[in-house]
Amino acid sequence: MAKRAQRHALILAVLATLALPDVLPDRQREADLARITARREAAAKRPHSSPGAAAAYWSARRQPQPGVDPGRELERARRRRAAMPQHSLARGGLVARITAEPLEPWEWLGPGNIGGRTRALAIHPRRPKTMWAGGVSGGIWKTENAGRRWRPVADELVNIAVNALALDPRDPAVLYAGTGEGYFREVVRGTGLPLRGGGIFKSEDGGESWRRLRRTRGAKFHWVNDIVVSRHDSDRVYAATRKGVFRSADGGQRWRRVLNPKVRGGCLDLEIVPDAPGDLLFASCGTFERATVYRNQSAETAGGWEAVLSEPAMGRTSVAVAPSDPTVVYALAASNTPGPGGNYEQALHAVFRSDASGAAGSWEARVRNDDPRKINTLLLSNAVIAMLVECDFDVLNDYLSMGWYVNVLAVSPDDPDILFAAGVDLFRSRDGGRNWSPASYWWTSRFSPAWLHADLHGLVFHPTRSRTLFALGDGGIARTSDALAPTGEDALAVCRPESSSVRWQDLNNDYGVTQFYHGSVHPNGRGYLGGTQDNGTLLGTDGSGPGRWVRILGGDGGYSAIDPVNPARIYATFQNGEVQRSSDGGRSFQDATFGITDLALGREDGVSAQVPGFLFISPLVMDPSEPRRLWLGGRRLWRTDNGADSWTAASVQLADGGKASAVAVAPGDPDRVVVGSSAGGIHRSLAATTTDGLTEWEAATPRADFVTWVAFDPADPDTVYATYGGFGGAHVFRSGDGGAEWTAIDGTGRGRLPAVPVHSIVVDPADRDVLYVGTDVGVFVSLDRGGSWAAEHTGFATAVTESLTLVETGDAARWLFAFTHGRGAWRVGL
């Protein structure tokens, strides 16, 4: 354990000393910057991708009250929103629910070039420039020009957590969309319930309109992991869900469970064999317990499922059939045990091959995690982190393995011996899975043609160009036109991006599914930045437009703050309380955590047995009266009075045992600070600028759930607002005495807020009666201090709205900004 902790300390030390390249580097400097970028991002990857920790954070924000079904509440919330009074900030107030002209939407700011977690892509077989993609929290998108521009086509869906897409091979105008990212995030990992699905949706007009299949509304279809359509009968559809495999014989009207493996992860992957006389189908089931691959030679009939591949250590397993020779079938399995050297839990277990159509007893392990060639064992690991020593990064090796999260397999359409395995990076084998070489590099310069965003969830070949391969992942959608180009074949190919001739092109053109956690706005309202899931901290401007946002800091981005006096000074965080500071508008950053001793505590990824000192996304707030004073919340409060040159403890550990989840400083009165806790308490001080590590703050608990936001009334520091996560009960509270007593203000009757998590609240400084809240189902407005609420017409789907910011610029303009978890950033003039 001590050795692993030392590795983390060394990696973070390298991270602190390496400089980021310029925000908009000159192409002439690319070669000089590549090495710096590579070293910094290789070091940053230790905290960069922590899906387990992110899952725990989302879970804490969304725990339901006893007896409350979150999925049902989300559906009720969308129905309630539609029936509530309607409001349009663009039009200046309440509006009729039905109008002759469409309401003016908010302005989408982007990012249109970053993407977000994507698991599903369907391509029209005869018009391949037409494609459909599914964002796991951003809905369904369509392009008709090969990805040069995408547009949303399913904003009316009651659930936009799209995890699977399938089109009818006989009639490509018919598509099915499965919702709910469920194989690890909902029950197994216990994460954010908005990612729970609402069943299967069907389109019969090329994705322009959708309807939910009524029989898929129940719990059996809360998490739809995969869908395939029979090549023999368009009405026959198969779905793999958390509850097993289901078959419909009538285009989705009725469903019957045909395989019930009774494992925690359910069934994750379906593969239907082309040109078989019947529906020859494979299903892979199981995640964190022993996985099994099943085969059914005639899945269109009752019964017939046979377990054909299973081993004691086998975890999540992907299956792929060779299109050019369907007798060849492969399986890529993660390991549920530590394996050699204790390094392979959720890394590679084995790659298997069958040359007998997947029959039982025909599977051969082509490579296992004890293979003497190290590179062959890293298919489901973060390969460069496992080879930091060999790659001469001056940091000790570490094994970051996510086979339960990123695990996908595909076979070349032309050659059954060429296959691709995707985890953190993409690997390719030319000898039927025996030896492997890297075909993508997340850690090189983003200007390098070999760069591809880390964490891959899908691989799809072009229907007519067999060398063209699409990769789907946490960075959206990318394409290579020559997946068979030469790659580095030696043992150190992981270390040399220049050894690969596989070139990647980003296709995130107006594909607006980026998942923000928080956002900040430049004082002039024309620049904005925010922290995102696995895409770092992003910077956008009006001048650059939606398609030219820039990644200025790595990791899972968190809170940020911009100095209004000197806007070139930016503060930003990534996971677990790490603070960075820039003095040049985000072109470079320095570590800004001196004095914060709680950073030495264990991290959310389970490396240390100690309790972590900070939430995965920790609140960072600037004092509006003194921009050099900032507050950072963890298990205690931390304060800096010198622009993060150093920090001091400003409280004892929070009395309710939680960690700070929200912080607010009263405008004009820096001694008044309130802090919300992950355990539900709201802590307060009237002398916050002088408190220290021995000071216990007074507290009240309006509700024993996660506090998502706190805010002062700008005109009255005795009036404080707080919002809560969780499902069921009240979610917005107001105090009139500085935080001692609290009253719920969720409204009544038609003007009552839905009982879903509320993530942020803003008090309009021009009219203290006007409140804005961001929720799991969009934005709501109150004109009477919370007595009643109206649904704000935003023009974007009912995405999770994490962060709201109101900005008054020097030209007297007023803007409300929304940063969503799944549909990017938006703005409306007030």
Side-chain angles (χ1 to χ4, degrees):
M1 187 68 70
K3 184 177 291 186
R4 289 179 66 95
Q6 181 185 26
R7 290 176 180 174
H8 296 308
L10 284 168
I11 290 173
L12 290 172
V14 173
L15 170 63
T17 60
L18 295 173
L20 271 176
D22 289 347
V23 172
L24 296 175
D26 188 326
R27 293 280 181 155
Q28 298 296 322
R29 302 178 59 219
E30 177 185 333
D32 296 332
L33 292 169
R35 182 66 173 173
I36 296 174
T37 305
R39 288 175 61 84
R40 178 179 175 85
E41 292 207 352
K45 192 60 177 180
R46 167 67 265 176
H48 176 81
S49 186
S50 302
Y57 173 74
W58 274 66
S59 174
R61 291 171 64 102
R62 289 169 167 78
Q63 288 301 307
Q65 291 189 339
V68 174
D69 183 324
R72 187 172 296 117
E73 285 301 327
L74 281 169
E75 292 195 18
R76 288 175 179 169
R78 291 184 173 94
R79 291 196 299 269
R80 167 167 287 280
R81 177 184 174 89
M84 289 176 68
Q86 304 292 295
H87 189 276
S88 172
L89 288 167
R91 289 198 174 185
L94 292 170
V95 295
R97 196 158 48 249
I98 300 175
T99 60
E101 300 177 5
L103 298 179
E104 293 90 344
W106 289 30
E107 177 188 5
W108 180 60
L109 302 175
N113 61 322
I114 300 298
R117 193 161 69 253
T118 301
R119 294 188 178 275
L121 181 73
I123 307 175
H124 195 295
R126 295 184 292 277
R127 298 195 303 272
K129 289 185 178 181
T130 298
M131 301 186 289
W132 300 264
V136 296
S137 55
I140 302 169
W141 295 68
K142 182 177 181 178
T143 178
E144 294 172 287
N145 53 16
R148 288 196 295 273
R149 185 180 182 277
W150 296 85
R151 59 184 174 90
V153 292
D155 280 357
E156 78 280 4
L157 296 187
V158 297
N159 190 292
I160 61 172
V162 178
N163 194 52
L165 286 172
L167 56 78
D168 182 343
R170 306 175 94 189
D171 182 3
V174 176
L175 293 98
Y176 297 87
T179 59
E181 190 187 18
Y183 62 84
F184 75 95
R185 285 187 172 266
E186 299 301 335
V187 174
V188 178
R189 283 297 198 188
T191 187
L193 291 160
L195 299 185
R196 168 172 149 173
I200 297 176
F201 297 81
K202 183 176 182 178
S203 172
E204 296 177 300
D205 57 4
E208 298 301 323
S209 63
W210 296 80
R211 60 182 174 87
R212 179 162 55 177
L213 298 174
R214 186 171 61 87
R215 298 289 181 89
T216 66
R217 294 181 61 172
K220 294 176 181 178
F221 295 88
H222 283 165
W223 297 284
V224 180
N225 296 318
D226 203 0
I227 303 174
V228 295
V229 183
S230 171
R231 289 166 167 77
H232 303 290
D233 184 344
S234 294
D235 286 334
R236 200 155 55 238
V237 186
Y238 301 89
T241 84
R242 177 65 59 83
K243 298 296 184 179
V245 177
F246 294 80
R247 181 184 65 220
S248 172
D250 55 9
Q253 300 310 303
R254 292 181 296 272
W255 295 82
R256 177 185 177 186
R257 180 159 51 193
V258 294
L259 176 62
N260 184 10
K262 296 182 179 179
V263 290
R264 228 177 4 160
C267 295
L268 312 171
D269 192 17
L270 290 176
E271 289 294 318
I272 194 163
V273 178
D275 302 324
D279 289 347
L280 175 51
L281 195 66
F282 292 91
S284 175
C285 308
T287 307
F288 291 101
E289 54 194 303
R290 181 170 177 169
T292 301
V293 176
Y294 297 87
R295 186 181 76 149
N296 192 327
Q297 296 188 77
S298 301
E300 69 275 13
T301 62
W305 291 94
E306 178 187 12
V308 295
L309 176 63
S310 186
E311 291 186 350
M314 231 168 87
R316 182 188 172 194
T317 301
S318 297
V319 180
V321 178
S324 61
D325 182 358
T327 64
V328 177
V329 188
Y330 292 95
L332 169 67
S335 174
N336 282 335
T337 60
N343 293 324
Y344 288 91
E345 186 169 6
Q346 297 310 320
L348 179 70
H349 171 67
V351 176
F352 299 93
R353 171 170 166 154
S354 166
D355 291 313
S357 299
S362 68
W363 295 85
E364 171 200 0
R366 299 290 288 169
V367 65
R368 293 185 180 272
N369 57 25
D370 60 357
D371 193 271
R373 186 172 183 258
K374 183 177 180 179
I375 194 173
N376 288 340
T377 72
L378 301 179
L379 305 184
L380 296 176
S381 300
N382 193 321
V384 70
I385 299 299
M387 295 187 67
L388 287 169
V389 171
E390 293 92 331
C391 295
D392 193 28
F393 280 117
D394 302 324
V395 183
L396 297 182
N397 292 341
D398 206 351
Y399 283 77
L400 309 180
S401 301
M402 301 186 292
W404 51 270
Y405 174 64
V406 284
N407 183 320
V408 64
L409 196 62
V411 187
S412 166
D414 297 331
D415 189 335
D417 287 329
I418 298 178
L419 68 156
F420 297 80
V424 176
D425 274 318
L426 180 67
F427 285 79
R428 187 184 69 201
S429 172
R430 287 183 173 273
D431 57 5
R434 180 66 190 88
N435 290 287
W436 296 83
S437 60
S440 76
Y441 295 81
W442 70 262
W443 56 272
T444 189
S445 165
R446 291 190 172 220
F447 291 106
S448 167
W451 180 85
L452 182 64
H453 194 289
D455 301 344
L456 302 173
H457 304 290
L459 298 171
V460 180
F461 277 98
H462 192 283
T464 61
R465 299 175 181 173
S466 59
R467 286 177 173 255
T468 297
L469 176 64
F470 297 87
L472 320 175
D474 282 3
I477 307 165
R479 176 184 64 207
T480 178
S481 60
D482 190 1
L484 303 187
T487 58
E489 303 292 340
D490 63 88
L492 295 180
V494 165
C495 311
R496 295 196 298 272
E498 66 276 7
S499 67
S500 175
S501 296
V502 178
R503 304 295 189 240
W504 293 97
Q505 177 187 2
D506 191 334
L507 295 183
N508 296 317
N509 301 307
D510 290 343
Y511 183 55
V513 298
T514 304
Q515 299 165 301
F516 281 97
Y517 287 121
H518 180 263
S520 299
V521 181
H522 191 281
N524 66 14
R526 296 192 293 272
Y528 18 84
L529 60 92
T532 67
Q533 186 275 334
D534 206 26
N535 280 291
T537 299
L538 307 176
L539 172 68
T541 67
D542 286 0
S544 297
R548 295 187 63 191
W549 284 58
V550 180
R551 184 175 183 263
I552 59 174
L553 193 63
D556 277 87
Y559 275 65
S560 56
I562 302 173
D563 187 332
V565 177
N566 177 15
R569 182 176 288 260
I570 295 172
Y571 303 86
T573 65
F574 49 83
Q575 55 265 49
N576 303 314
E578 300 286 347
V579 183
Q580 298 279 304
R581 181 181 65 195
S582 173
S583 299
D584 53 14
R587 293 178 180 273
S588 62
F589 278 87
Q590 295 177 316
D591 180 78
T593 59
F594 181 78
I596 305 177
T597 56
D598 284 352
L599 289 173
L601 296 179
R603 308 235 171 243
E604 297 276 5
D605 56 13
V607 169
S608 169
Q610 294 177 290
V611 176
F614 293 87
L615 292 172
F616 180 72
I617 301 296
S618 300
L620 175 75
V621 172
M622 181 177 289
D623 186 335
S625 302
E626 171 48 73
R628 292 181 63 80
R629 182 180 299 118
L630 294 97
W631 292 85
L632 177 69
R635 63 173 188 165
R636 72 186 81 210
L637 275 301
W638 295 89
R639 183 184 65 239
T640 176
D641 297 308
N642 53 21
D645 285 342
S646 62
W647 295 80
T648 58
S651 76
V652 297
Q653 294 186 34
L654 299 183
D656 61 6
K659 300 182 185 71
S661 53
V663 180
V665 183
D669 189 350
D671 275 318
R672 283 184 181 251
V673 176
V674 292
V675 178
S677 161
S678 60
I682 299 177
H683 307 257
R684 64 191 185 277
S685 174
L686 297 177
T689 60
T690 59
T691 59
D692 58 26
L694 300 177
T695 305
E696 184 170 347
W697 291 33
E698 295 184 78
T701 306
R703 171 177 172 165
D705 286 296
F706 196 107
V707 180
T708 55
W709 204 272
V710 286
F712 281 95
D713 184 329
D716 178 11
D718 282 329
T719 301
V720 192
Y721 293 87
T723 63
Y724 280 80
F727 288 84
H731 288 84
V732 185
F733 291 82
R734 182 179 65 232
S735 171
D737 59 5
E741 302 291 334
W742 294 85
T743 302
I745 56 167
D746 284 49
T748 59
R750 287 183 60 238
R752 179 170 58 87
L753 284 172
V756 297
V758 177
H759 302 286
S760 57
I761 185 167
V762 168
V763 184
D764 195 322
D767 184 347
R768 60 188 300 231
D769 289 338
V770 178
L771 309 175
Y772 312 98
V773 294
T775 78
D776 263 11
V777 290
V779 179
F780 294 83
V781 179
S782 174
L783 305 179
D784 56 5
R785 303 181 73 202
S788 61
W789 295 85
E792 169 65 15
H793 176 81
T794 58
F796 57 85
T798 52
V800 175
T801 303
E802 289 273 12
S803 176
L804 293 174
T805 300
L806 195 153
V807 173
E808 298 179 295
T809 63
D811 56 2
R814 290 168 17 92
W815 302 91
L816 184 65
F817 290 78
F819 296 84
T820 73
H821 197 84
R823 290 302 295 272
W826 298 76
R827 174 177 65 192
V828 66
L830 303 179

